[in-house]
Amino acid sequence: MFAARRGLIKASFARVSAQRPVRSFTAAAVRFSSDHGNSEILQGLGGKPGRVPTNFEQSTGDERREYLAAMEGKEYFDLNPLELETKGTRQNPTIVPSGAAWRLVGCNGAPGEAHELMWIRVEREHGIDRCPECGNAFKL
């Protein structure tokens, strides 16, 4: 009984698979080295032979820029919180400094007000983004 069922199932699968057309599909994009802009590669000399390199010797990119700024006594990344003196409005929004297209901003109320911390994604293309709790306006 089971052998007969198994035979019927195999026959039906063979019929279905024979009817399916075969289609090829690729999702890769061809890129050439000329497609990328000329970007500056910032890297150190590396470690000397027979020696383990230091973090400064092997750092690249933003990490290296941070080390170089620290050697000059400056901070490459601004880690200080944004101090609000007035509530941002549409005419005079709170400016959030950023070199990126968007930035996450935590709002816990305009001066004189307080609410639970709300995270807002402030985007350059939006122009102005507002806190849904207090209405404070932010702009990149």
Side-chain angles (χ1 to χ4, degrees):
M1 179 172 165
F2 291 111
R5 284 186 189 171
R6 204 174 302 135
L8 286 173
I9 292 172
K10 283 184 182 180
S12 65
F13 276 124
R15 229 183 2 252
V16 170
S17 63
Q19 294 171 354
R20 286 192 190 139
V22 177
R23 298 186 325 177
S24 62
F25 178 77
T26 60
V30 177
R31 292 189 179 233
F32 300 103
S33 60
S34 61
D35 292 345
H36 306 290
N38 292 336
S39 60
E40 173 192 357
I41 297 175
L42 185 63
Q43 63 187 28
L45 299 173
K48 294 184 172 72
R51 215 179 66 130
V52 176
T54 64
N55 287 345
F56 177 70
E57 291 172 336
Q58 68 181 3
S59 63
T60 61
D62 280 341
E63 183 183 13
R64 185 153 188 88
R65 286 185 183 92
E66 188 176 14
Y67 277 121
L68 293 172
M71 290 171 68
E72 295 175 3
K74 300 176 184 174
E75 282 191 34
Y76 182 69
F77 295 108
D78 183 15
L79 302 176
N80 298 323
L82 188 63
E83 297 293 331
L84 293 178
E85 297 173 2
T86 60
K87 183 175 181 175
T89 62
R90 282 184 127 359
Q91 293 77 23
N92 188 19
T94 302
I95 303 297
V96 179
S98 179
W102 63 274
R103 187 166 178 187
L104 283 177
V105 175
C107 180
N108 58 356
E113 300 176 25
H115 61 73
E116 194 172 317
L117 181 65
M118 300 284 293
W119 291 102
I120 306 154
R121 183 175 166 142
V122 180
E123 298 187 30
R124 194 173 305 281
E125 65 185 31
H126 289 173
I128 292 174
D129 288 294
R130 298 186 82 106
C131 174
E133 190 74 25
C134 66
N136 199 0
F138 296 97
K139 179 180 180 179
L140 284 188

